[in-house]
Amino acid sequence: MSAEATGCGTLTMTPKEVAERLGISEWWVREQIRRGRVPHLRFGRHRIALLPEHVDAIIELVTVEPAGWQADRGAGGGASGSVRGASGSSEPPRRRHRLRPIR
């Protein structure tokens, strides 16, 4: 990892370093940056740098939450935490699309 001389001692990473750290391809990191899905720093035309919070945004982008997972488990405390998609009742959430009959 390379420390940029920004005066603050901010630690930045290249797309290659981020890819190595996350175990993904450099191409994928650069493609997400190109599509505007990941925040980043751009110095000139080709120099791209990412801050640690930008890496967190990549992780958030690819995080898959299982059904019934409590999003604020640590913040709100166990049973009173909200469940994504819950309507307050004990019945399962309704499907958005109707299933087609099998022919």
Side-chain angles (χ1 to χ4, degrees):
M1 292 181 216
S2 56
E4 294 293 324
T6 59
C8 303
T10 304
L11 188 66
T12 62
M13 294 169 275
T14 65
K16 182 177 182 180
E17 291 168 335
V18 170
E20 289 172 356
R21 185 173 184 183
L22 296 177
I24 56 180
S25 72
E26 179 184 0
W27 175 88
W28 188 89
V29 174
R30 288 186 178 276
E31 183 66 12
Q32 301 315 305
I33 290 170
R34 186 186 71 78
R35 292 180 180 211
R37 295 179 180 163
V38 178
H40 60 282
L41 304 172
R42 186 176 297 269
F43 301 102
R45 187 173 173 116
H46 298 289
R47 173 74 169 105
I48 296 172
L50 294 105
L51 297 171
E53 50 268 19
H54 299 158
V55 177
D56 293 341
I58 292 173
I59 293 170
E60 187 175 324
L61 176 71
V62 298
T63 299
V64 178
E65 298 172 358
W69 183 75
Q70 293 182 350
D72 60 345
R73 194 177 246 180
S80 64
S82 65
V83 177
R84 182 176 284 196
S87 61
S89 66
S90 61
E91 61 187 71
R94 302 184 90 190
R95 293 183 185 265
R96 288 186 175 179
H97 304 287
R98 298 182 76 184
L99 296 176
R100 295 182 184 173
I102 300 175
R103 294 182 182 175

